[in-house]
Amino acid sequence: VSNVLVLQAVAGNDRTDIVTALIQRGVIDVVLEHLRSVGEWGPGELSMIEVDYAVRHDLEQREVEVEDDEQDILGWEIILERAHAESRLTWWYLVFMACAGLIAAIGLAADLPVLILGAMSLSPDLAPTNAIAIALTAGAWREFFRSLWTLVLGLGVALGIAFLATELLKVSGLRTEELVIDENLLTFVTVVSISTVIVAVAAGVAAMTAFVTNQATTAVGVAISVTTIPAAAYAGIAIASTTLEEGGAALLVLAVNVVCLIVAQILTLVILRKLRIRRQMVL
């Protein structure tokens, strides 16, 4: 901790001092624990602002140097707050999921992989899956059910839009029986296999690692959506085509993907937290 600044009685009251300081990410949780042992804090009285880059002038003189990888990991308090914010159901989240479902449906129907990739990059389902894993790890059941509802409703919107898009294609004269979907892609979204589990687990590890290191990128979002959007969109197409068996198979693949994804996210978060706690004990 450095650069501690105290602004005394800024509002004419002895109890309204403002204290600011620069805290290394590796010790955020330790500092917050000590602060909470001092007394209770009201809403807004204890806040954190992230500094992406800071110019260092004393690299050679620092007695305690936190490892770079430890510096990259966010504090547990920040992770919880971000998960809380991203678990909310918003209108823009539903709009993005609807657009992703529509684009994926057209990509599947026209056998255009580039559209499916575009739909996966557009889908914002990275946030609720991370929030579900964090809520389960923290035992925050209210946040868990809110995040789960957000994810389920978003995927339901994507499926429903894909269903409506297929019906519109039928009405426009393009019969679904004439639509040719690549056999490998069809197998990927309708058959549960070892590759299904491997892809979902790898995506979960990448998702949580990106979240806790503040390195979430579009590429990670695409990796998550590989396990959700194609299966949800195809389920809508299959149901609209009255092939309920294939629609059910796609929903099963979607469910397995989501479960494996969240389990991998939880395990990754637990491991990273244990490494952080061990590092703090050493410090």
Side-chain angles (χ1 to χ4, degrees), residues 147-252:
S147 305
L148 182 62
W149 170 245
T150 299
L151 178 63
V152 170
L153 187 58
L155 292 175
V157 167
L159 187 154
I161 292 296
F163 173 87
L164 293 177
T166 305
E167 291 292 340
L168 289 176
L169 289 175
K170 292 166 64 176
V171 171
S172 65
L174 180 59
R175 298 179 58 190
T176 55
E177 291 80 6
E178 296 176 353
L179 302 179
V180 179
I181 299 178
D182 184 82
E183 183 177 353
N184 293 328
L185 181 58
L186 185 62
T187 301
F188 180 72
V189 296
T190 57
V191 178
V192 177
S193 62
I194 186 62
S195 62
T196 304
V197 176
I198 292 175
V199 170
V201 168
V205 173
M208 187 53 67
T209 302
F211 187 86
V212 301
T213 58
N214 200 25
Q215 299 295 325
T217 62
T218 301
V220 177
V222 172
I224 294 298
S225 299
V226 165
T227 65
T228 56
I229 289 300
Y234 182 75
I237 292 175
I239 294 172
S241 304
T242 66
T243 53
L244 299 181
E245 183 178 353
E246 289 189 1
L251 289 177
L252 177 61

Side-chain angles (χ1 to χ4, degrees), residues 4-281:
V4 179
L5 175 63
V6 180
L7 303 178
Q8 296 182 340
V10 293
N13 188 320
D14 293 339
R15 302 181 60 185
T16 57
D17 296 351
I18 294 180
V19 181
T20 63
L22 295 177
I23 305 174
Q24 295 177 359
R25 284 181 176 177
V27 294
I28 286 177
D29 294 331
V30 176
V31 172
L32 291 177
E33 182 179 353
H34 284 297
L35 288 175
R36 286 204 166 90
S37 67
V38 174
E40 296 184 359
W41 299 85
E45 291 183 346
L46 185 61
S47 60
M48 293 169 285
I49 300 176
E50 292 184 61
V51 178
D52 292 330
Y53 300 99
V55 179
R56 301 178 182 177
H57 298 285
D58 57 347
L59 291 178
E60 297 180 356
Q61 299 177 3
R62 292 174 63 187
E63 296 180 358
V64 178
E65 180 69 38
V66 179
E67 298 290 340
D68 288 340
D69 57 346
E70 290 294 331
Q71 284 287 74
D72 289 338
I73 301 177
L74 299 177
W76 180 239
E77 296 282 346
I78 297 177
I79 292 174
L80 290 178
E81 288 299 325
R82 283 193 170 185
H84 173 76
E86 296 188 357
S87 66
R88 295 178 302 165
L89 180 63
T90 58
W91 65 267
W92 59 263
Y93 167 78
L94 295 179
V95 169
F96 278 123
M97 291 297 289
C99 293
L102 176 61
I103 295 173
I106 296 176
L108 287 167
D111 194 20
L112 294 174
V114 65
L115 292 183
I116 301 174
L117 180 61
M120 292 187 296
S121 64
L122 185 63
S123 172
D125 48 5
L126 171 64
T129 56
N130 275 330
I132 290 173
I134 294 169
L136 287 174
T137 305
W141 297 108
R142 182 179 179 182
E143 298 295 334
F144 164 72
F145 287 113
R146 187 171 74 165
S147 305
L148 182 62
W149 170 245
T150 299
L151 178 63
V152 170
L153 187 58
L155 292 175
V157 167
L159 187 154
I161 292 296
F163 173 87
L164 293 177
T166 305
E167 291 292 340
L168 289 176
L169 289 175
K170 292 166 64 176
V171 171
S172 65
L174 180 59
R175 298 179 58 190
T176 55
E177 291 80 6
E178 296 176 353
L179 302 179
V180 179
I181 299 178
D182 184 82
E183 183 177 353
N184 293 328
L185 181 58
L186 185 62
T187 301
F188 180 72
V189 296
T190 57
V191 178
V192 177
S193 62
I194 186 62
S195 62
T196 304
V197 176
I198 292 175
V199 170
V201 168
V205 173
M208 187 53 67
T209 302
F211 187 86
V212 301
T213 58
N214 200 25
Q215 299 295 325
T217 62
T218 301
V220 177
V222 172
I224 294 298
S225 299
V226 165
T227 65
T228 56
I229 289 300
Y234 182 75
I237 292 175
I239 294 172
S241 304
T242 66
T243 53
L244 299 181
E245 183 178 353
E246 289 189 1
L251 289 177
L252 177 61
V253 170
L254 177 60
V256 171
N257 278 335
V258 171
V259 170
C260 292
L261 180 70
I262 293 175
V263 169
Q265 288 172 304
I266 293 174
L267 293 177
T268 302
L269 181 59
V270 169
I271 292 173
L272 290 175
R273 283 198 68 195
K274 286 186 177 298
L275 292 176
R276 165 60 70 87
I277 293 173
R278 180 176 300 179
R279 174 65 181 175
Q280 289 172 352
M281 294 176 62

